[in-house]
C-alpha cells in the first residue's frame, strides 16, 4: 500500500455555511450553482504525490467554501472500480473522504460535495459520468453576435484576445466543471473559415489554457471550404491530396498550440454550408478525411446529420435517408451528431429515428438549450422534461452536446431562470437517469429560494411551475404534434399562415400543418410520407395508426379529421381549443405562483421574472388567438365562447411583423407597440 501523508490546511475566516448559496443567485450576475460564500474552516488533506492545477482548484474550492468536517482527498488504486472521471464520497462527523482515479474525478467530487454537503453521509456514494463527451456548442460568430442567442453578445471577446482576458472565461469554466461539462465548441456551426487562421488559433489557445485545469477541452466548428478560403486551394475535395495535406498541416498547427485540442464539429452540405457533396463525395469521405488528420492527436470529428434539401420529400425523413446508408463507413474517431428530433428543435418532436439506425457508427445527441423555438429569453420553459422524454425512447449512445444559451448578459442566460437549463443539461449529460423534478429541485434550492425557509406549498408550486413549463409552451404554441408554426426568420411568434415569396416550402408552416377542410396534420403514416417506416418495431406500428399513435405526436404523424374522436371523447377540434387555452391558463397560474413566492425571492429577481411572465402571458394568448382563428377557417367549427370573447381579430394578428433579427429576443415594449 502506498504511504500516504496528509497535509492539513486550516483557514480561519467567515461563518457562512457553504453549499447553501444565497437565495436569488440567478439574478446577481453569478452562476446559480457555484458556491460563493466563503468559510473559515475548509480543511483539506491531499494524498502525497497528488498535485496538479486541477487539484489546486479542488483544494481552493474546498478551502474557500467548505465548512464541514476535514476533507481527505485520495487517488484510488487500480483495484478500485470507480469509472474514469468518477468519484466516491463517504463522510462521518469527523471526516469526509473523496476517492477518484484521476484529478478531474476529484474536482467533480469536490463540486458534488459543495452542492450537496450531505453527500456520502448515509454510506459511500459513487458516481461517474454516463457520457464521455459532454459538450456545449456555442453558435457564436467571430463578430460577437450569437446565432439564436438571446443573452447578449458572445462571451468570447475575440478582438481583445489573446492579450486581454476576461475574468468571465474562468467563471464559465468553473460553472461547467461544477456540473460535469467537459468540452466546448467555441464557434458557430455556420463557421467562418477565419477561426482556423493562425491569428484566431492563438486566441483559441488562450481560452484552452484557462479551461484546461477545469477539464474543459476546446473544440472548433470548421468550414469545409477552409482550404479554399484561407489558402486559395482550388478545391476542398476531401480526396484531393493537396486538401488532405492542408488539413493534416492545420491539425498539426492546432495541436502545437493546443496539445489537448478536442476536435472539429462540422455542418456540411446543410443550409448552404459547403461540404464534400459539392465535390461529388459523401459525408463519410469528408468526415473520414478530417478524422485522419486529427487521429494522431486523438482528436474527434463530430459530423452533423442536420441535413435536408427542398427538392426531396418529407424533411423529417431526410437525415435518415442521407446517413443511414453510410452506417459503418465512418472512421473510429467520427461521431455523427444528430438533433434530438428529425426536424429542428421544435417544442415537441418525436426522437430522430437515425438514433436507432446507426448500429455500426458512433452517434451523439444534440439538444438545444437556447430557446430558439420556445420563446427566446422571454418565456419560462424548463427543458429537462423535453430531454428526459427523449431519453425514454433513446439510450444509450456515445456523447452529448447542447447548443448553449449563454451570452455576455450579466445573468449569463437572458432569462434568469434559464440558467436552470444550462444546469439541467450538464446534470443529464452526467447522469441521464436523473429525473427532471430532481434536477429542478436541486436548482431551485440553490438558485431561487432557501428551501428550509420557504413554506412547503410555495416550494411545491415553484417546482410544479418548472416541471410543467415546457408542456405549457407546447400547449399554447403547437399542441398535439403540430410543429413549425413560427414566423419566418426569427422563430418567435405565430404565423401558421406564413407565405414568403420565393421561400423554400420546407421553411414555411403550411408545409408542416397541412390544414384543409378535412383536417389537420402531416400524414407520415404508410399511406403518406411513411416517415413512420424509419422507426423500429413495435414503435413503427404504434405510430402508424391514428388509433395507437400517442396523442402528443398525433398531428406529427397523421392528417386527422377535425371531428376525429380523441381519447377524451372530445373531437380533435375541441381538444385543440382546450390545449391552447390550457397553455394560457398555465401561464396565469405561474404568475400566481410567482406572486406567492415573492417574500422568499430576492426583489431584483422577482421583478425581472414578473415582467417576463407578463410578456409570456401576452405571447401565449397571441399564439392561441392566431392559431385557433386561423385553423377555424378550415375546421369551420366554433371556438368556445369564453375564449373567443377575448380574442384579437385574426386580420389584426396577421399584420404583426416583428422587426427583429435572429440574435435578439423582442423586448416587451416592442411587442406591446405592435400588438
Ligand atoms: O435550428 C436551425 C436554426 C439555424 C441553425 C440551424 C443548425 C446554426 O434556425 O439558425 O444554424 O438550425 O442547426 O444548423
Amino acid at each position: 500500500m502506498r504511504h500516504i501523508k496528509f497535509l492539513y490546511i486550516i483557514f480561519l475566516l467567515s461563518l457562512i455555511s457553504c453549499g447553501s448559496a444565497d437565495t436569488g443567485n440567478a439574478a446577481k450576475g453569478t452562476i446559480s450553482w457555484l458556491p460563493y460564500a466563503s468559510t473559515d474552516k475548509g480543511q483539506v488533506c491531499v494524498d502525497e504525490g497528488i498535485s496538479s492545477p486541477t487539484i489546486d482548484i479542488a483544494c481552493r474550492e474546498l478551502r474557500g467554501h467548505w465548512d464541514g468536517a476535514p476533507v481527505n482527498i485520495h487517488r484510488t488504486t487500480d483495484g478500485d472500480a470507480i469509472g474514469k472521471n468518477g468519484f466516491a464520497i463517504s463522510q462521518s462527523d469527523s471526516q469526509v473522504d473523496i476517492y477518484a482515479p484521476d484529478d478531474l474525478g476529484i474536482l467533480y467530487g469536490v463540486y458534488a460535495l459543495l452542492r450537496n454537503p450531505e453527500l456520502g453521509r448515509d454510506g459511500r456514494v459513487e458516481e461517474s459520468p454516463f457520457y464521455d463527451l459532454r459538450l456545449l456548442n456555442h453558435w457564436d460568430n467571430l463578430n460577437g453576435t450569437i446565432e439564436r442567442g438571446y443573452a447578449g453578445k458572445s462571451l468570447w471577446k475575440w478582438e481583445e484576445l489573446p492579450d486581454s482576458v476576461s475574468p468571465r472565461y474562468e467563471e464559465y469554466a468553473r460553472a461547467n466543471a461544477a456540473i460535469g461539462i467537459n468540452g466546448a465548441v467555441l464557434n458557430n456551426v455556420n463557421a467562418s473559415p477565419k477561426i482556423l487562421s493562425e491569428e484566431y488559433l492563438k486566441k483559441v489557445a488562450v481560452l484552452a489554457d484557462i479551461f484546461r485545469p477545469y477539464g474543459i477541452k476546446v473544440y472548433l466548428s470548421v468550414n469545409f471550404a477552409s482550404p479554399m478560403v484561407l489558402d486559395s486551394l482550388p478545391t476542398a475535395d476531401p480526396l484531393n491530396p493537396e486538401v488532405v495535406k492542408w488539413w493534416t498541416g492545420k491539425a498539426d498547427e492546432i495541436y502545437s498550440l493546443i496539445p489537448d485540442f478536442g476536435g472539429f464539429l462540422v455542418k456540411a452540405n446543410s443550409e448552404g454550408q459547403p461540404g464534400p457533396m459539392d465535390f461529388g463525395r459523401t459525408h463519410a469521405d469528408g468526415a473520414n478525411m478530417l478524422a485522419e488528420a486529427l487521429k494522431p492527436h486523438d482528436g474527434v470529428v463530430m459530423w452533423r446529420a442536420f441535413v435536408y434539401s427542398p427538392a426531396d420529400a418529407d424533411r423529417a425523413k431526410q437525415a435518415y435517408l442521407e446517413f443511414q446508408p453510410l452506417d459503418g463507413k465512418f472512421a473510429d474517431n467520427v461521431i455523427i451528431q444528430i438533433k434530438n428530433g428529425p426536424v429542428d428543435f421544435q417544442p415537441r418532436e418525436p426522437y430522430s429515428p437515425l438514433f436507432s439506425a446507426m448500429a455500426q457508427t458512433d452517434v451523439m445527441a444534440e439538444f438545444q438549450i437556447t430557446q430558439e423555438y420556445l420563446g427566446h429569453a422571454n418565456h419560462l420553459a424548463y427543458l429537462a422534461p423535453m430531454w428526459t422524454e427523449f431519453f425514454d425512447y433513446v439510450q444509450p449512445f456515445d456523447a452529448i452536446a447542447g447548443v448553449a444559451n449563454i451570452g455576455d448578459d450579466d445573468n449569463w442566460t437572458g432569462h434568469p431562470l434559464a440558467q436552470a437549463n444550462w444546469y439541467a443539461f450538464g446534470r443529464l449529460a452526467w447522469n441521464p437517469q436523473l429525473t427532471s423534478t430532481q434536477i429542478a429541485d436541486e436548482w431551485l434550492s440553490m438558485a431561487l429560494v432557501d428551501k428550509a425557509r420557504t413554506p412547503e406549498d410555495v416550494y411545491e408550486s415553484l417546482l410544479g411551475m418548472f416541471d410543467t413549463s415546457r408542456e405549457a409552451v407546447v400547449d399554447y404554441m403547437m399542441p398535439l404534434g403540430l410543429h413549425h408554426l413560427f414566423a419566418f426568420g426569427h422563430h418567435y411568434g405565430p404565423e401558421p399562415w406564413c407565405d414568403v415569396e420565393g421561400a423554400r416550402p420546407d421553411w414555411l408552416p403550411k408545409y408542416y400543418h397541412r390544414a384543409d377542410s378535412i383536417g389537420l396534420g402531416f400524414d407520415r403514416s404508410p399511406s403518406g410520407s411513411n416517415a413512420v417506416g424509419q422507426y423500429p418495431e413495435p414503435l413503427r406500428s404504434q405510430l402508424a395508426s391514428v388509433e395507437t399513435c400517442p396523442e402528443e405526436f398525433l398531428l406529427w404523424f397523421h392528417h386527422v379529421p377535425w371531428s376525429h374522436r380523441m381519447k377524451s371523447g372530445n373531437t380533435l377540434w375541441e381538444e385543440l381549443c382546450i390545449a391552447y387555452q390550457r397553455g394560457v391558463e398555465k401561464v396565469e397560474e405561474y404568475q400566481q405562483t410567482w406572486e406567492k413566492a415573492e417574500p422568499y425571492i430576492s426583489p431584483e429577481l422577482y421583478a425581472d421574472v414578473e415582467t417576463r411572465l407578463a410578456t409570456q402571458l401576452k405571447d401565449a394568448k397571441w399564439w392561441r388567438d392566431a392559431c385557433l382563428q386561423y385553423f377555424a377557417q378550415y375546421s369551420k367549427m366554433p371556438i368556445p365562447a369564453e375564449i373567443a370573447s377575448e380574442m384579437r381579430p385574426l386580420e389584426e394578428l396577421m399584420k404583426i411583423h416583428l422587426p427583429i433579427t435572429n440574435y435578439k429576443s423582442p423586448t416587451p415594449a416592442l411587442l406591446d407597440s405592435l400588438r
Side-chain angles (χ1 to χ4, degrees), residues 446-466:
M446 284 184 297
L448 206 56
V449 291
D450 179 344
K451 196 170 174 178
R453 279 186 292 159
T454 309
E456 211 180 308
D457 64 317
V458 173
Y459 191 81
E460 288 303 314
S461 306
L462 287 169
L463 209 51
M465 172 175 93
F466 263 65

Side-chain angles (χ1 to χ4, degrees), residues 64-123:
H65 309 295
W66 174 250
D67 76 345
V71 180
N72 309 320
I73 287 175
H74 315 274
R75 173 70 59 63
T76 53
T77 50
D78 292 346
D80 198 319
I82 302 170
K84 187 179 165 215
N85 295 169
F87 59 82
I89 297 182
S90 57
Q91 60 171 309
S92 64
D93 288 341
S94 58
Q95 72 179 60
V96 184
D97 292 285
I98 302 181
Y99 305 86
D102 44 51
D103 294 354
L104 198 50
I106 286 169
L107 184 63
Y108 289 152
V110 164
Y111 281 123
L113 180 68
L114 289 173
R115 203 168 52 227
N116 176 3
E118 298 300 310
L119 206 65
R121 248 194 192 275
D122 302 329

Side-chain angles (χ1 to χ4, degrees), residues 22-208:
D22 276 358
T23 55
N25 249 353
K28 288 185 199 149
T30 56
I31 301 287
S32 44
W33 56 89
L34 285 177
Y36 290 98
S38 52
T39 175
D40 61 346
K41 292 205 225 142
Q43 304 178 48
V44 193
C45 331
V46 186
D47 269 11
E48 192 184 58
I50 314 185
S51 145
S52 73
T54 302
I55 298 294
D56 290 349
I57 293 168
C59 292
R60 197 169 70 216
E61 295 284 19
L62 284 172
R63 284 175 207 137
H65 309 295
W66 174 250
D67 76 345
V71 180
N72 309 320
I73 287 175
H74 315 274
R75 173 70 59 63
T76 53
T77 50
D78 292 346
D80 198 319
I82 302 170
K84 187 179 165 215
N85 295 169
F87 59 82
I89 297 182
S90 57
Q91 60 171 309
S92 64
D93 288 341
S94 58
Q95 72 179 60
V96 184
D97 292 285
I98 302 181
Y99 305 86
D102 44 51
D103 294 354
L104 198 50
I106 286 169
L107 184 63
Y108 289 152
V110 164
Y111 281 123
L113 180 68
L114 289 173
R115 203 168 52 227
N116 176 3
E118 298 300 310
L119 206 65
R121 248 194 192 275
D122 302 329
R124 180 176 148 122
V125 167
E126 197 177 305
E127 293 190 22
S128 59
F130 187 88
Y131 297 108
D132 284 346
L133 302 185
R134 305 173 298 279
L135 312 187
L136 287 181
N137 286 184
H138 291 267
W139 285 357
D140 294 22
N141 298 313
L142 304 188
N143 68 3
T145 58
I146 304 177
E147 181 150 356
R148 313 303 179 181
Y150 312 106
K153 295 224 152 189
S154 175
L155 265 190
W156 325 130
K157 302 300 169 200
W158 295 113
E159 67 291 351
E160 296 171 5
L161 284 163
D163 303 325
S164 161
V165 167
S166 153
R168 292 188 93 178
Y169 302 153
E170 184 164 356
E171 194 70 344
Y172 165 88
R174 196 177 165 231
N176 281 325
I179 49 177
I181 287 171
N182 68 352
V185 183
L186 298 180
N187 61 317
N188 192 353
V189 287
N190 292 326
S192 164
K194 205 159 71 176
I195 192 73
L196 291 181
S197 65
E198 192 191 349
E199 181 196 354
Y200 273 80
L201 289 176
K202 285 190 174 142
K203 298 169 192 271
V204 172
V206 171
L207 293 175

Side-chain angles (χ1 to χ4, degrees), residues 139 147-148 188-190 267 270-271 304 306 308 315 339 344-345 366 368 372-373 403 489 491 662:
W139 285 357
E147 181 150 356
R148 313 303 179 181
N188 192 353
V189 287
N190 292 326
K267 173 175 178 177
S270 161
E271 297 186 331
R304 293 176 90 229
F306 178 65
Y308 60 101
R315 171 170 167 186
K339 289 190 181 182
D344 189 10
F345 296 140
E366 179 179 316
Q368 195 180 41
E372 172 180 359
Y373 293 106
V403 179
H491 297 163
N662 294 340

